[in-house]
Amino acid sequence: MSRGVYIIGSGEAKYGELWDRSLREIAVEAGLKAVESAGIRTKDLGAIYMGNSLGGDISMQEHLSALMSDHAGIASEFVPSVRVEASTASGAAAFREAYLGIKSGEYEIAMVGGAEKMTELYGSEIIDITSSIIDREWEAFTGATPAALAAISARKYMADFNVPREILAHISVNDHANASLNENAHFRNKITLEQALNATPIAEPLNLMDCAPLSDGASSLILASENYVKEHGIEGVKIMGSAMSQGEFALHSRKSLYTVEPTRIAAETALKQAGIGIKDISMVEIHDSYSIYGLMALEDLGFAKKGNAREIVENGIGIDSNLPVNPSGGLKAKGFPYGASGVGQIVEAYNQLKNKAGKRQVKNAKYAMTHSQAGSGAASIVHILGVE
Amino acid sequence: MGELSRMWREMPSRYRMEGRKCENCSRVYFPPRDICPVCHRDSIGKMKPVDIAGNGEIISYTVVHETPPAFIRQKPYVLAIIKLDEGPMITGQIVDSEPEEIKMGSRVKSVFRRISEDGKSGVIHYGYKFTLEK
Ligand SMILES: [Zn+2]
């Protein structure tokens, strides 16, 4: 027996370098805002799913789900909670677990949280820790970092399809333009193509402006069953498709250095569940932790054939374009708190579909797609949301 | 402690590039795998050690400027994905050349080098890197 699942509320703590705020503080803020926005009471929660990737290594704090719910003052409600980890897709994975929990009939209402505190450590040390999202023994051991692997994909992609650096840079320029309209974004400044092209090299051919920043941040959503939504006359946003797929862990194990097969399969599955086609999508939030991953995602999700994402980018991906990409500001400019980003993308999609996105509102948004990727592409999670 | 036992465990692969050959389908794997992803259960007990010659071709590469602590003294360094003549692709550094000399498609051979120094544990890691075939 399965049933419809809806999003009925959202909350966020601003993304950024929040040196004065702790992991538990931002997680609690986002969670309580979501409860408030959904108009429910914490005692109504059937379960809490918390996405977090590196809390153990960065803050030396595990079991964030329990810590967060206690500090939200709801220990006395005895709500079951669990932390979900799938590296940079942890948030989307937590969201999917909550969706499945309600769909199965076990819960009527569930909370999803995503939180990460990336700025607790400085400089090169955090690069070592973030390299735990790639193969420690056979990639990171040799000097590979997440950025280095993205750069290896980028060089091959640019050579095989004759794509100039400008096309990659457009992804970041678009993110910054959109984030300038998002008060929860890490970066509010617009950048020019020249600035994007001439930043400090990180792993050639990628520079600082191709790479999402280390951000602190937390996002939260409240999910409810179809029964609950109907009984209470709530106009939620429907989760029409939810799919996760997983492939080879290390980049060197994949057939192609610029194809994330799990993205292709997850998108296909989610679209089929939703009963719509890729052309019906009104807006998409993609996992552009590195600009090259943005281009790869547009292709693997099905918006363009392999090697042709440049056509979409050249046609425009802004908020008023045919395919608005990352109206939130994306991972590059809204920010990239690992475990929060996957939830944050869905918060954006929810607000867009509720027509509550303010200055960055996408016109006539009906169906939104969100895409979260783990590491260099070991796994992908795709969701499709819609309003009836 | 964990670091030392890992080093010891991985020595044959790191020092001699010992891979695995699936005797069911003859595919060679490096890094080593215990199960052949093509033959699945038919490969159990048939993944035999095989020495990799260490010759191959650069598929793509990057010049790394931002590094973890253990690699700071080497930066910037060239990191590549190499297709070995035996079939598998692996990740490794290209040394003894200027970045400008390196191209996709360049032939490389493996050399035994110091990989990194871990400041915390004081452990020095050794293993394979690659140089351009001259
Ligand atoms: Zn086999």
Side-chain angles (χ1 to χ4, degrees):
Chain A
M1 188 189 70
S2 77
R3 35 191 214 150
V5 183
Y6 292 75
I7 304 174
I8 62 168
S10 74
E12 277 189 313
K14 185 187 154 26
Y15 288 15
E17 291 182 9
L18 313 173
W19 289 317
D20 56 334
R21 311 199 65 204
S22 69
L23 181 59
R24 78 182 71 182
E25 240 181 302
I26 56 177
V28 166
E29 180 190 336
L32 291 184
K33 277 182 178 168
V35 166
E36 179 80 21
S37 133
I40 58 163
R41 311 270 298 276
T42 51
K43 69 172 176 52
D44 301 328
L45 292 174
I48 298 172
Y49 297 85
M50 195 80 203
N52 174 255
S53 177
L54 299 170
D57 281 329
I58 297 176
S59 309
M60 294 181 71
Q61 182 64 64
E62 307 279 16
H63 209 184
L64 190 61
S65 52
L67 183 73
M68 194 275 290
S69 71
D70 182 11
H71 281 265
I74 59 174
S76 55
E77 321 278 13
F78 302 102
V79 180
S81 77
V82 67
R83 168 192 161 196
V84 179
E85 194 275 322
S87 102
T88 49
S90 295
F95 178 83
R96 184 169 147 73
E97 290 305 314
Y99 160 81
L100 293 173
I102 293 176
K103 194 175 163 66
S104 73
E106 182 74 8
Y107 306 120
E108 295 300 321
I109 297 183
M111 173 192 274
V112 182
E116 205 79 51
K117 182 94 187 128
M118 305 285 293
T119 68
E120 210 86 278
L121 300 170
Y122 295 98
S124 58
E125 218 176 316
I126 189 71
I127 300 178
D128 194 22
I129 289 174
T130 57
S131 295
S132 56
I133 68 170
I134 62 175
D135 189 332
R136 176 66 63 185
E137 300 194 6
W138 302 103
E139 293 183 315
F141 176 86
T142 68
T145 61
L149 296 183
I152 285 173
S153 292
R155 186 183 299 273
K156 182 78 174 136
Y157 180 94
M158 290 163 68
D160 284 4
F161 302 112
N162 194 23
V163 172
R165 289 257 310 109
E166 282 77 1
I167 299 295
L168 278 72
H170 269 298
I171 297 279
S172 305
V173 171
N174 176 65
D175 274 2
H176 274 262
N178 293 347
S180 73
L181 306 172
N182 184 352
E183 57 192 20
N184 283 334
H186 185 158
F187 294 123
R188 304 292 310 276
N189 63 309
K190 292 183 183 176
I191 59 167
T192 64
L193 198 58
E194 282 66 40
Q195 285 171 321
L197 288 170
N198 295 310
T200 321
I202 300 292
E204 295 174 47
L206 302 181
N207 69 35
L208 187 63
M209 288 298 144
D210 292 296
C211 306
L214 298 166
S215 314
D216 305 329
S219 299
S220 183
L221 289 160
I222 306 294
L223 276 57
S225 69
E226 193 168 351
N227 289 345
Y228 187 92
V229 167
K230 280 186 180 149
E231 258 172 47
H232 293 77
I234 302 169
E235 281 187 29
V237 165
K238 188 172 189 188
I239 302 167
M240 301 178 64
S242 170
M244 179 173 191
S245 171
Q246 193 223 287
E248 290 90 359
F249 196 86
L251 179 61
H252 58 225
S253 303
R254 295 181 207 144
K255 284 194 188 76
S256 160
L257 297 186
Y258 42 65
T259 304
V260 177
E261 200 62 14
T263 299
R264 197 183 62 73
I265 293 166
E268 228 174 65
T269 309
L271 283 168
K272 194 182 269 182
Q273 290 169 357
I276 61 171
I278 193 79
K279 291 210 160 64
D280 297 319
I281 298 294
S282 321
M283 56 149 284
V284 62
E285 287 277 321
I286 54 173
H287 187 98
D288 59 343
S289 48
Y290 299 97
S291 55
I292 180 64
Y293 289 164
L295 295 180
M296 287 161 54
L298 289 174
E299 294 165 2
D300 296 335
L301 289 169
F303 293 105
K305 290 215 171 66
K306 190 46 69 183
N308 282 354
R310 67 178 297 169
E311 286 172 17
I312 297 178
V313 172
E314 282 165 344
N315 285 337
I317 51 174
I319 285 165
D320 296 322
S321 70
N322 279 335
L323 181 65
V325 173
N326 289 351
S328 70
L331 272 49
K332 171 66 187 80
K334 182 183 179 185
F336 189 25
Y338 279 14
S341 279
V343 181
Q345 293 174 318
I346 300 171
V347 167
E348 178 70 15
Y350 170 73
N351 285 316
Q352 289 283 354
L353 294 173
K354 291 285 281 181
N355 214 14
K356 290 196 303 190
K359 284 183 190 158
R360 57 181 197 286
Q361 182 63 48
V362 170
K363 283 194 195 78
N364 305 318
K366 193 158 186 274
Y367 301 114
M369 180 184 259
T370 63
H371 160 252
S372 186
Q373 174 183 307
S376 67
S380 287
I381 302 175
V382 173
H383 283 100
I384 294 170
L385 311 180
V387 280
E388 274 131 5
Chain B
M1 192 61 212
E3 187 128 28
L4 288 173
S5 57
R6 195 182 86 191
M7 259 174 76
W8 178 81
R9 191 172 71 232
E10 293 169 353
M11 258 181 213
S13 296
R14 300 240 187 266
Y15 289 16
R16 298 191 276 107
M17 294 192 74
E18 183 183 287
R20 295 275 187 284
K21 183 172 185 171
C22 170
E23 291 192 323
N24 196 54
C25 71
S26 294
R27 282 182 178 82
V28 172
Y29 295 98
F30 188 87
R33 286 178 182 269
D34 294 330
I35 303 284
C36 172
V38 177
C39 303
H40 307 287
R41 63 180 304 162
D42 291 339
S43 68
I44 294 171
K46 292 181 183 162
M47 301 295 282
K48 296 291 148 74
V50 61
D51 285 335
I52 304 285
N55 301 314
E57 177 189 319
I58 296 177
I59 300 299
S60 184
Y61 67 95
T62 176
V63 185
V64 184
H65 295 269
E66 284 223 335
T67 79
F71 291 89
I72 282 179
R73 287 173 59 182
Q74 301 176 40
K75 80 176 177 183
Y77 54 85
V78 176
L79 186 85
I81 285 188
I82 293 141
K83 185 165 175 59
L84 297 165
D85 291 347
E86 289 86 352
M89 292 204 292
I90 61 166
T91 305
Q93 286 187 35
I94 314 291
V95 292
D96 302 344
S97 304
E98 294 302 318
E100 301 77 52
E101 299 173 67
I102 291 160
K103 297 198 167 44
M104 286 187 263
S106 295
R107 292 284 306 169
V108 294
K109 61 180 169 49
S110 66
V111 288
F112 183 71
R113 292 291 165 86
R114 171 190 292 216
I115 300 288
S116 64
E117 294 158 62
D118 194 308
K120 268 190 219 149
S121 60
V123 170
I124 298 176
H125 295 284
Y126 292 90
Y128 52 84
K129 291 187 178 180
F130 295 85
T131 58
L132 291 179
E133 241 173 46
K134 292 263 161 72

